[in-house]
Amino acid sequence: MSNDTKQNVFEDAAFNIETSAPDGPKFADELRQRYDAALPDDLPVITELISKYLIMRKRDRGDLVQALDEGTSFLLDGTQWESVQDWFWFSDVKDRVDTFALAWVLGAWRVEETGEIVKLEAEK
């Protein structure tokens, strides 16, 4: 087993392209830029309802603690808060809270039902 990261392997490949191909340096630089801008391979996966909830809470400029607060009550596309709460607090609670928190921090996730990747744009 090696201690190489994916980034280490990528950098080795880019270096080899730079040194062996005529347009290698330009191509390797473009690859580095694309790699830096790319989303992680292992995005968190959340349900469509929770995706809508996360988007709504982010747009309201709420914070993660508020988003996880079980005392909050509101309507979300006609779905009562209890459905959101059920997702968090019933079965594999820690995994779901961790998954939600990771999606919150990354600002990107995959919707379970559709496979769609949602990426929130950073506020300016």
Side-chain angles (χ1 to χ4, degrees), residues 59-120:
R59 286 189 181 145
D60 289 346
R61 300 181 194 269
D63 62 31
L64 182 57
V65 173
Q66 292 170 333
L68 294 171
D69 180 18
E70 58 184 309
T72 307
S73 181
F74 65 92
L75 290 175
L76 177 69
D77 291 348
T79 303
Q80 294 293 328
W81 165 245
E82 289 78 21
S83 295
V84 172
Q85 202 173 23
D86 287 350
W87 186 84
F88 282 113
W89 306 118
F90 293 105
S91 78
D92 64 342
V93 171
K94 182 188 180 314
D95 290 341
R96 288 187 175 186
V97 171
D98 288 353
T99 299
F100 182 84
L102 181 58
W104 182 279
V105 170
L106 289 174
W109 58 89
R110 185 177 307 275
V111 177
E112 184 177 308
E113 294 88 344
T114 64
E116 171 192 12
I117 293 177
V118 176
K119 181 179 179 188
L120 300 178

